[in-house]
Amino acid sequence: MENNAPIFSKSDSLKFFRTLNKRVNEYFKENNIKKTGNWKLHLKTVIMFSIFLTPYFLILALDLPLWAHLLMTIVIGIGMAGVGMNVMHDGNHGSYSTKPWLNKIMGGSIYILAGNVYNWQVQHNVLHHTYTNIHGHDEDLEAGRIIRFTKHADWSPVHKFQHYYSVFLYGLLTFNWAITTDFKQMRSYIKRKLSYGEFPSPVKLWSTLVITKVIYFSIWLVIPMLLGIVWWEVLLGFFIMHYTAGLILSIVFQLAHVVEETDHPQPDENNEIENTWAAHQLFTTANFAPKNWLVNWYTGGLNHQIEHHIFPNISHVHYSKIGEIVKQTAAECNLPYYEFKTMRSAVHSHFKHLKEMGQKPQLA
């Protein structure tokens, strides 16, 4: 936790989280089920890894024409995003299993997805989940200077066109993870002494990063070339794989927080946020397509982002069930519960928000 971190109110809306937490705990107790993953998640893990890795081995084993090779890399990208949203995500939140070692293994799958456990846990678990949509603290709102997600960010004339070009940049998300982002984040987080739990040894962190990157690039670039695939075909496939995964992940992330309805609050002169942490999540988060079984299944419950933000240690396989409890409790406490019935309506709202943020701010 940083010294200049915003402070959440301790008096407003306390009833909401106390009541909600009690009701959710009663749900699991009455139904005699664990809050972690179950057979549905285990089966999905097998399916997602199969989608992710089977095309890779087919590319290595078969002499495929270029069009088939590139089609396979798109499938790998779809599987890559699926593993990230369903397996890695639950693992690094400690919600995949009651067994810590299994959570660690599943969370560690991020190493073959181009990421790093330490960086992801700091950015996602600490910064994003704690300071959701707070400019300057939630790094999910940062996209260099090329995209303006919030009115608190600096405006540039190029932003007038961001609702047109942003979607093309979204596909670069995981490609940047692999090449530059992890190194920049690790340097920053170690300097700021940020961690999810006890602060690890910097030497161990840097060693892990370098070793896992070497293994990563060996798997996805070196081995295919050694087995006879032309270098430019390998690089093109690598880029398409990442672009597919990055586009999927970016859009899912943005629909939960960067839409017209959600707030982007800033601390007051005393560095305090108006609401309690739990109420803050309701004001800054939105669900989308909650009744769409395919979206529910593939996104790992990230379309139930409200439930995930309030209960990050509960596996996504339970979000559909506890969603009604959260919605009812929010209504009783006169708090918002933002929800888009379809994914299409959420996408529309996101790009309308980008267009609005692209307009030159009016001087007061």
Side-chain angles (χ1 to χ4, degrees), residues 101-232:
W101 63 268
L102 188 53
N103 284 321
K104 191 170 183 179
I105 290 175
M106 295 305 172
S109 64
I110 193 173
Y111 292 121
I112 59 171
L113 304 177
N116 176 272
V117 169
Y118 167 73
N119 288 338
W120 192 89
Q121 288 184 336
V122 171
Q123 179 185 343
H124 186 79
N125 292 9
V126 178
L127 301 178
H128 174 63
H129 270 266
T130 306
Y131 309 113
T132 312
N133 275 18
I134 300 177
H135 176 65
H137 297 274
D138 182 359
E139 291 189 359
D140 281 16
L141 293 179
E142 297 178 11
R145 297 181 178 180
I146 196 67
I147 303 177
R148 184 173 185 254
F149 287 131
T150 170
K151 64 182 179 182
H152 304 294
D154 293 337
W155 180 84
S156 169
V158 72
H159 293 145
K160 290 188 290 185
F161 309 101
Q162 66 177 10
H163 55 294
Y164 296 118
Y165 65 71
S166 57
V167 69
F168 298 104
L169 298 178
Y170 286 168
L172 300 176
L173 175 68
T174 61
F175 185 76
N176 288 336
W177 282 356
I179 306 297
T180 60
T181 303
D182 273 330
F183 296 95
K184 292 178 180 177
Q185 285 185 332
M186 184 161 289
R187 184 169 59 248
S188 172
Y189 296 161
I190 289 177
K191 183 178 180 180
R192 293 154 63 189
K193 291 186 168 27
L194 295 177
S195 67
Y196 182 61
E198 186 177 346
F199 186 71
S201 160
V203 174
K204 182 179 179 181
L205 289 174
W206 280 113
S207 299
T208 301
L209 179 62
V210 172
I211 292 170
T212 54
K213 288 296 181 183
V214 169
I215 294 173
Y216 177 79
F217 287 113
S218 296
I219 292 172
W220 296 104
L221 296 178
V222 177
I223 291 177
M225 290 182 193
L226 290 176
L227 291 178
I229 302 177
V230 184
W231 66 269
W232 63 265

Side-chain angles (χ1 to χ4, degrees), residues 71-98:
L71 183 62
M72 288 287 187
T73 61
I74 293 175
V75 177
I76 294 174
I78 293 171
M80 178 181 171
V83 171
M85 293 185 290
N86 291 274
V87 182
M88 180 278 290
H89 190 249
D90 272 26
N92 279 317
H93 273 295
S95 63
Y96 186 94
S97 170
T98 56

